[in-house]
Amino acid sequence: MKAYQVVEPGLPLIENEFETPAPEGTEILLKTVACGVCHSDIHIHEGYFDLGSGNKLPVPLQTPYTLGHEIFGEVVAIGDKVENIEIGQRYVAFPWIGCGECNFCEEGNGNLCNAANVLGIHRGGGFGDHVLVPHSKYLFDKGDTPDELAGSYACSGLTAYSALKKVAPITNDNSLVIIGAGGVGMMALQIAQAAFSINPIVVDIDDKKLELAKKSGASSIFNSSKEESFMELFEATGGGAISVIDFVGAESSSNLGYNLLRKGGTLVIVGLFGGQISIPLPMIPIMSKNLLGSYVGNLQEMEELMDLVKAGKVNPIPVVSRPASEANSTLEDLKKGKILGRASLIY
């Protein structure tokens, strides 16, 4: 098999060839059909997350490693203990796999495991032409979803769905503000319509992305780089938002989201762009504001989301498809904000 691997953080990926793994026991070998390129891949490729003030959180991975956690592939081999899976079937792979033994895993939150075995991070991912999945419970039918978009539901779709559940119930359009109209924000817009029957407000600094969000069902759009946008948002939400989900996770976006909340409101930070925010402590109890983090989603949430997807209730978002050989340029274009919707590598 071959894979486009990180041999040194921050440097271009290198195409390497090595022996294709043979599945054992409950393992399933997928031949990669398509793999989404996620903004998290940028941070993992760079080898750190920006904590602000010059501080960095390193990603302690042994090189070389194979990125790609938004995997859609075809079963080409199975271990001797695999049941109800046949050669030739195609599936989306849930990548957020834990150790299976800690409290997080026992509670069904393997995505929070401190000894994780995530596909595309700790295990070889979809930037390789084959992926070894440890158990059939991590495989999901995509329904009629386009091949190039299917894998994205395992990350951007799941991340959006899990964040939305944290602010549920959502009762009307102006009760939810989505910050960021990139791939995850666009997923959240579609899933909010499918799961909660609302059309949220969308905020971004890119007019092209905002136009796409409006065409995709946003009740209203605001460019937060404009000075008047905050007061316009304040009015549009009826005196402050009940819920804000920040899919950017930058200092400016999180500060905007927190300041936009009404009393008792909730800000969920999802994005990993980086930096830090400063909040006057007395204002937290006085305003009774809630600040939450949300990291991807668990296996149960993946099942719930994929039921919506298979039922055709989640409208597809735009996807930029490129040959897997263009993995480097795709990462760079995503980093520069040149891609509308999602990006996918095709094999």
Side-chain angles (χ1 to χ4, degrees):
M1 65 170 286
K2 68 178 180 180
Y4 300 93
Q5 296 189 300
V6 179
V7 293
E8 185 173 338
L11 294 185
L13 307 178
I14 299 297
E15 180 181 331
N16 286 328
E17 293 193 17
F18 40 91
E19 186 176 352
T20 303
E24 300 178 352
T26 62
E27 295 176 332
I28 300 100
L29 182 66
L30 299 180
K31 185 179 187 303
T32 309
V33 174
C35 181
V37 183
C38 177
H39 208 278
S40 295
D41 288 317
I42 295 172
H43 301 296
I44 300 165
H45 172 235
E46 292 176 335
Y48 68 90
F49 293 92
D50 179 10
L51 299 180
S53 301
N55 298 313
K56 297 178 179 179
L57 176 66
V59 180
L61 298 175
Q62 183 176 354
T63 56
Y65 52 90
T66 307
L67 298 170
H69 50 267
E70 297 188 349
I71 304 156
F72 175 64
E74 180 176 324
V75 177
V76 292
I78 59 175
D80 59 2
K81 295 183 180 179
V82 174
E83 299 179 352
N84 301 319
I85 298 291
E86 297 180 1
I87 304 298
Q89 292 178 320
R90 292 183 166 196
Y91 293 102
V92 176
F94 174 85
W96 312 105
I97 300 168
C99 69
E101 299 177 353
C102 67
N103 288 340
F104 288 119
C105 291
E106 289 178 353
E107 293 167 358
N109 295 310
N111 56 305
L112 302 180
C113 177
N114 292 318
N117 292 289
V118 177
L119 302 178
I121 301 179
H122 309 95
R123 295 172 176 250
F127 282 27
D129 59 17
H130 288 78
V131 177
L132 197 62
V133 181
H135 197 280
S136 60
K137 68 182 178 181
Y138 301 121
L139 299 179
F140 291 87
D141 182 1
K142 72 178 181 67
D144 294 328
T145 303
D147 291 356
E148 62 270 21
L149 179 60
S152 292
Y153 286 111
C155 180
S156 61
L158 177 62
T159 298
Y161 180 69
S162 183
L164 286 164
K165 285 190 66 177
K166 289 177 173 63
V167 297
I170 309 169
T171 56
N172 52 67
D173 292 349
N174 70 352
S175 66
L176 173 64
V177 176
I178 289 174
I179 298 179
V184 189
M186 288 297 294
M187 280 281 195
L189 176 58
Q190 298 303 331
I191 294 170
Q193 295 173 75
F196 302 105
S197 300
I198 67 156
N199 299 82
I201 296 169
V202 176
V203 179
D204 203 285
I205 59 173
D206 187 322
D207 284 334
K208 290 183 179 179
K209 292 180 179 179
L210 288 170
E211 289 171 10
L212 180 59
K214 185 62 176 177
K215 291 178 182 177
S216 300
S219 59
S220 54
I221 54 175
F222 295 89
N223 188 320
S224 58
S225 66
K226 297 179 180 179
E227 186 175 347
E228 66 274 16
S229 64
F230 182 83
M231 288 309 301
E232 291 176 348
L233 272 163
F234 197 77
E235 292 175 6
T237 54
I242 297 173
S243 303
V244 179
I245 304 179
D246 178 9
F247 288 109
V248 180
E251 293 182 17
S252 58
S253 61
S254 293
N255 276 307
L256 170 65
Y258 189 81
N259 290 330
L260 186 60
L261 293 177
R262 67 178 61 178
K263 282 189 174 183
T266 299
L267 170 64
V268 181
I269 299 178
V270 178
L272 296 166
F273 188 88
Q276 60 186 14
I277 60 174
S278 179
I279 302 172
L281 291 177
M283 297 307 296
I284 296 177
I286 290 172
M287 297 295 289
S288 295
K289 292 182 178 181
N290 304 293
L291 179 61
L292 302 176
S294 187
Y295 182 68
V296 295
N298 61 35
L299 192 60
Q300 176 61 40
E301 290 170 329
M302 181 70 174
E303 292 176 1
E304 295 169 6
L305 172 63
M306 294 310 292
D307 283 343
L308 290 171
V309 172
K310 284 189 297 181
K313 295 182 178 180
V314 182
N315 291 329
I317 67 171
V319 184
V320 176
S321 299
R322 296 179 177 176
S325 58
E326 296 182 15
N328 276 305
S329 60
T330 304
L331 276 174
E332 190 63 24
D333 286 348
L334 186 63
K335 184 176 182 180
K336 294 178 179 178
K338 293 183 177 181
I339 293 175
L340 292 177
R342 300 300 291 176
S344 182
L345 302 179
I346 306 299
Y347 288 83

